[in-house]
Each structure stands twice: as structure tokens, then as C-alpha cells.
Amino acid sequence: MTSPAAANRPGPVLALEYPRSLGVHDSYEEAQGVVDYLSDQEFPVDQCMIVGTDLKQVERVTGRLTTGRVALGGVASGVWLGLFVGLIFALFAPTGDALVTVLGAVAFGAFFGVVWALIGYAMTRGRRDFVSVTQVVATRYEVLTEHKHAERARELLDQRPGAPLG
């Protein structure tokens, strides 16, 4: 029978059986440097993990959302969808009508793209009048290794140039 803790554990590729911490670092580059140093010392780095912890969501506002910007986005997405559908229909159209079919589908797609985008924007009633990009970032990075290699890894890290004494 599997314990609830084991059921929530990531698959074998992303898990160590009994991980031990080798240190917590403020940047990914620092943690990567630790693993790189261990690799240079012939340490079995396939038994290591870098785990981002203390996650936070960062949203970068990139601009103001206006009716014109919404309409332009609707046209663009509608044109792409219309082009896709038009090309598929063109495969089955008579030889002389293929171009007319594609152009008609593009125009139809642009029209409905604008309509749906503006309807969606109007339904928000100005509650979100900006454009942004969101990402989840870690604020700390912990280097882990399998328990059977932890002692050797710590010895190697203590020998690293610039390592704290004692």
C-alpha cells in the first residue's frame, strides 16, 4: 500500500529517494555553480537536484488596454483563424475559386474576431484595462543530493576555493 506522502512525490526522474540538502542559495546561478563544481570533481551529479523554493508570482504590466488595442488584437486573431479555415476550404474549392475562398474566409475571420474581442472587452466593464505578463519565480534555490552521497558532496564543497572555513 502506498502512503499519501509517497503518492504526492514526483516521478522517479524528478525525485531522490532520501534527499539531503547541500545548501540554499539566493540565485539559480549560485546553485548551478555548486552542481557544476561537483561535476568537475567527478561527483555523481545525476544524484543531485536544484529545487526552487519560496515561489512568488510576478506580474509585469506591459501597457494600457484600450478599445483600439482590443480591436487590433481581435482582427489579428480573426485573420489567422480565417486564413487557416480558408486554406482548408481552398483544398476543396474549384481551381479558380481558391484565392477567393481564402480571401473571403480571412475577411469573415477578421470581422468576427473584432466583434468577439469587443464584446468580451465590453463585458469586463473596465475592471482590467491593462496588458501584462505573469510568471512564477523562485526566490531561493536548494541543492539536494541522495543521502548516500551527501557526506562526500559536503567534503568536496568544503575544499572549494572561497569556501568558508570550519
Side-chain angles (χ1 to χ4, degrees), residues 122-144:
M123 291 178 71
T124 66
R125 295 189 187 120
R127 283 179 294 198
R128 188 172 168 94
D129 283 344
F130 61 91
V131 181
S132 65
V133 177
T134 304
Q135 86 185 99
V136 175
V137 295
T139 57
R140 301 173 64 170
Y141 298 87
E142 186 171 15
V143 179
L144 302 172

Side-chain angles (χ1 to χ4, degrees), residues 7-151:
N8 293 332
R9 204 180 293 167
V13 174
L14 295 177
L16 297 173
E17 198 167 324
Y18 298 106
R20 297 292 179 256
S21 179
L22 298 178
V24 178
H25 306 277
D26 291 330
S27 72
Y28 177 77
E29 289 74 21
E30 289 176 25
Q32 185 179 10
V34 167
V35 176
D36 186 51
Y37 176 79
L38 290 172
S39 177
D40 292 345
Q41 304 305 309
E42 308 280 325
F43 184 81
V45 291
D46 62 326
Q47 298 293 305
C48 291
M49 293 175 64
I50 298 174
V51 179
T53 59
D54 297 335
L55 301 178
K56 64 180 176 180
Q57 180 175 320
V58 178
E59 183 173 13
R60 172 75 167 104
V61 178
T62 58
R64 184 172 177 190
L65 189 60
T66 63
T67 304
R69 197 169 187 174
V70 169
L72 190 60
V75 166
S77 64
V79 163
W80 279 113
L81 183 60
L83 180 64
F84 176 70
V85 171
L87 289 173
I88 291 173
F89 284 174
L91 292 173
F92 303 105
T95 307
D97 293 340
L99 182 61
V100 172
T101 301
V102 170
L103 292 177
V106 166
F108 193 73
F111 173 75
F112 277 99
V114 167
V115 169
W116 284 113
L118 291 175
I119 288 173
Y121 181 63
M123 291 178 71
T124 66
R125 295 189 187 120
R127 283 179 294 198
R128 188 172 168 94
D129 283 344
F130 61 91
V131 181
S132 65
V133 177
T134 304
Q135 86 185 99
V136 175
V137 295
T139 57
R140 301 173 64 170
Y141 298 87
E142 186 171 15
V143 179
L144 302 172
T145 191
E146 190 61 56
H147 73 286
K148 59 189 167 208
H149 301 294
E151 185 71 29

